């Protein structure tokens, strides 16, 4: 991007005085460049506000268990603080090297940050850690590229035209990789969301489906903004993007301040534990208690046919069993294969029997009679359970 520098006589004295000044101070900004700078400063300020509030504030009493309620808190602070990398362009939007740095941040870092933050939060909920290995490789690669761009932007005379062409190609390549990684993570989270929506009952993973849906749409909007910037290659467009994304950062801050998982924090920390762990802690249910809970669960779910309720939740079973959630969850996990597996196995078996007794029934009728919301839900559960 070429820029015209002011050389009229009214500026000669200022330019001579600034000749030995740092790179970002050697050019007097035009009115348009002032607006470009202000737009980016607005975005950076919103990021720093997010980081500061996120670090120093956590709603009580949830702050007692930050790893459960705020699994991505520390990482999000680091991510939003990294907006300071864009400062060279904010200080001098007339500098070509600073412009390349800013484009690199938008193309590479923004999609990657979205993917990492979503994977950290929802991956913790679902105990999915596969994303970490890929993220480590990418952050090293992306980090080296951004570091090189930052050095070029703040140190004069270190880049030639040949270097600039190579950097542009590198930014484009890594930008595509970053977007592909983001799409991969989005697809994973979308599948989890579909499972919750289709099954229509809560599960022991406590997946925050409403929050996930909002985040998916927000990340998709980020991707649209990023690639609009890439295609237009315009400082004005990127300034508009900064102004749009700044309030979006504040909205996200408001959204994540309150935990999106269980509201009952005392219940939330009562996670199901293995037999060995329970015995070591001295609070494993006795064999007689386990048998009593199993019989109670079978009566509620099987005898009373509660599994035919498409909105059946573990809480409903716990309330009817007469035992605490900790023990009921423990029995589901260690004796019945898990809440999801147990309930849907009963539904699948019932659907097969119903189909035999009603050969003229449609698949939608079979699904509805068996506790599923529709045939697609029935198909997905069959595939997941291998039935």
């Amino acid at each position: 991007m070429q820029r015209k520098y002011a050389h009229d006589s009214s500026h000669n004295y200022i330019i001579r005085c600034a000749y030995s000044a740092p790179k970002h101070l050697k050019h007097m900004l035009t009115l348009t460049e002032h607006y470009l700078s202000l737009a980016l400063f607005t975005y950076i300020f919103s990021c720093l506000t997010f980081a500061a509030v996120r670090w120093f504030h956590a709603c009580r009493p949830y702050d007692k268990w930050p790893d459960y309620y705020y699994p991505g808190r520390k990482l999000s602070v680091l991510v939003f603080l990294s907006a300071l990398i864009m400062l060279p362009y904010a200080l001098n939007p007339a500098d070509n090297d600073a412009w390349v740095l800013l484009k690199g941040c938008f193309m590479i870092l923004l999609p990657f940050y979205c993917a990492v933050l979503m994977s950290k939060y929802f991956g913790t909920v679902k105990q999915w850690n596969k994303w970490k290995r890929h993220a480590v490789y990418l952050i090293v690669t992306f980090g080296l590229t951004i570091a090189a761009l930052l050095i070029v932007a703040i140190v004069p005379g270190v880049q030639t035209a040949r270097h600039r062409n190579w950097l542009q190609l590198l930014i484009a390549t890594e930008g595509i990789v970053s977007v592909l990684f983001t799409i991969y993570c989005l697809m994973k989270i979308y599948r989890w969301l579909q499972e919750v929506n289709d099954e229509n009952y809560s599960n022991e993973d406590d997946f925050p489906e409403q929050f996930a849906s909002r985040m998916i749409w927000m990340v998709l909007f980020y991707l649209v903004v990023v690639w609009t910037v890439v295609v237009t290659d315009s400082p004005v467009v990127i300034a508009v993007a900064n102004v749009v994304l700044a309030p979006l950062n504040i909205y996200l801050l408001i959204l994540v301040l309150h935990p999106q998982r269980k509201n009952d924090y005392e219940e939330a920390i009562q996670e199901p534990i293995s037999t060995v762990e329970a015995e070591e802690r001295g609070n494993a249910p006795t064999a007689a208690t386990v048998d009593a809970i199993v019989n109670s669960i079978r009566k509620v779910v099987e005898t009373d046919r509660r599994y035919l309720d498409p909105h059946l939740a573990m809480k409903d079973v716990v309330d009817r069993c007469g035992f605490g959630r900790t023990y009921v969850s423990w029995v589901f996990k260690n004796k019945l294969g898990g809440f999801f597996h147990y309930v849907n196995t009963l539904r699948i078996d019932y659907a097969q029997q119903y189909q035999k007794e009603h050969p003229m029934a449609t698949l939608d009728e079979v699904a509805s009679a068996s506790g599923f919301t529709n045939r697609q839900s029935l198909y997905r559960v069959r595939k997941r359970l291998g039935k």
Side-chain angles (χ1 to χ4, degrees):
M1 182 180 63
Q2 301 298 324
R3 307 188 187 276
K4 294 182 179 180
Y5 291 83
H7 294 291
D8 56 278
S9 57
S10 62
H11 290 146
N12 284 342
Y13 176 75
I14 298 177
I15 292 176
R16 285 196 302 271
C17 292
Y19 183 78
S20 60
K23 184 178 181 180
H24 63 273
L25 297 178
K26 288 185 178 181
H27 172 66
M28 300 303 295
L29 302 182
T30 65
L31 181 61
T32 300
E33 290 165 349
H34 273 297
Y35 285 133
L36 299 178
S37 177
L38 180 61
L40 184 54
F41 270 121
T42 302
Y43 175 77
I44 294 175
F45 178 77
S46 71
C47 291
L48 298 182
T49 301
F50 185 106
V53 175
R54 202 74 192 90
W55 179 258
F56 292 106
H57 176 76
C59 296
R60 296 180 180 179
Y62 309 108
D63 56 342
K64 296 179 182 178
W65 301 281
D67 292 338
Y68 180 85
Y69 289 113
Y70 306 111
R73 180 185 179 191
K74 294 179 181 178
L75 182 60
S76 65
V77 171
L78 182 62
V79 163
F80 279 88
L81 279 177
S82 67
L84 292 171
I85 297 174
M86 303 178 186
L87 270 179
Y89 183 83
L91 295 173
N92 186 9
D95 183 67
N96 287 327
D97 295 332
W99 167 249
V100 174
L101 170 65
L102 184 64
K103 288 198 299 182
C105 291
F106 262 79
M107 293 176 64
I108 300 173
L109 293 187
L110 259 64
F112 179 70
Y113 285 162
C114 290
V116 167
L117 290 177
M118 290 191 71
S119 299
K120 173 62 177 176
Y121 184 91
F122 296 106
T124 300
V125 174
K126 298 292 289 187
Q127 297 181 355
W128 178 61
N129 296 315
K130 184 178 179 181
W131 68 273
K132 292 182 179 179
R133 182 172 65 254
H134 304 304
V136 169
Y137 296 146
L138 292 177
I139 193 60
V140 171
T141 304
F142 295 165
L144 291 174
T145 300
I146 297 300
L149 293 175
L150 183 61
I151 292 174
V152 168
I154 61 178
V155 180
V158 299
Q159 180 180 208
T160 64
R162 180 182 177 184
H163 294 151
R164 183 177 292 109
N165 292 335
W166 278 107
L167 283 175
Q168 295 277 14
L169 179 61
L170 187 61
I171 291 171
T173 304
E174 292 187 3
I176 294 173
V177 173
S178 178
V179 170
L180 291 177
F181 178 65
T182 304
I183 294 174
Y184 164 71
C185 294
L186 282 178
M187 290 177 62
K188 187 72 174 180
I189 296 168
Y190 179 75
R191 283 196 292 269
W192 292 334
L193 182 60
Q194 285 299 105
E195 290 175 3
V196 174
N197 289 337
D198 290 339
E199 291 153 13
N200 281 305
Y201 66 91
S202 62
N203 56 69
E204 55 193 341
D205 288 325
D206 185 33
F207 190 76
E209 61 270 19
Q210 185 177 14
F211 181 58
S213 180
R214 290 179 179 178
M215 290 300 98
I216 288 175
W217 283 109
M218 188 174 293
V219 172
L220 289 175
F221 179 76
Y222 267 89
L223 292 181
V224 170
V225 171
V226 166
W227 281 99
T228 300
V229 169
V230 172
V231 172
T232 59
D233 194 32
S234 167
V236 175
V237 172
I238 209 169
V240 173
N242 288 326
V243 173
V244 170
L245 294 181
L248 196 61
N249 288 339
I250 303 302
Y251 169 74
L252 179 61
L253 173 62
I254 296 172
L255 197 62
V256 300
L257 279 180
H258 188 79
Q260 300 295 326
R261 302 185 74 177
K262 290 183 181 294
N263 291 325
D264 186 350
Y265 65 93
E266 292 181 347
E267 180 180 296
I269 61 174
Q270 296 176 356
E271 298 290 333
I273 55 179
S274 68
T275 305
V276 174
E277 291 173 326
E279 290 175 350
E280 288 176 350
R281 297 181 191 181
N283 61 353
T286 63
T289 302
V290 170
D291 290 339
I293 295 174
V294 169
N295 291 334
S296 182
I297 289 174
R298 293 193 187 281
K299 180 184 182 304
V300 171
V301 180
E302 298 182 37
T303 305
D304 297 343
R305 291 191 170 185
R306 298 293 302 174
Y307 64 90
L308 297 180
D309 178 6
H311 303 287
L312 179 66
M314 184 185 291
K315 185 178 184 300
D316 299 329
V317 179
V318 171
D319 291 342
R320 288 174 172 80
C321 281
F323 295 91
R325 176 183 170 86
T326 303
Y327 279 177
V328 174
S329 299
W330 188 93
V331 170
F332 267 122
K333 184 178 181 67
N334 294 279
K335 299 297 181 180
L336 298 174
F339 185 54
F340 174 87
H341 183 276
Y342 172 66
V343 173
N344 280 288
T345 297
L346 294 172
R347 288 174 175 170
I348 293 294
D349 293 341
Y350 184 89
Q352 293 172 347
Q353 184 63 32
Y354 186 90
Q355 208 164 17
K356 291 179 182 178
E357 296 175 356
H358 304 81
M360 301 302 293
T362 64
L363 286 177
D364 284 326
E365 292 172 349
V366 173
S368 178
S370 306
F372 298 101
T373 54
N374 50 52
R375 71 171 72 181
Q376 288 76 20
S377 178
L378 175 59
Y379 289 150
R380 287 191 180 95
V381 172
R382 277 179 175 172
K383 182 178 179 180
R384 183 173 172 183
L385 299 182
K387 295 287 186 179

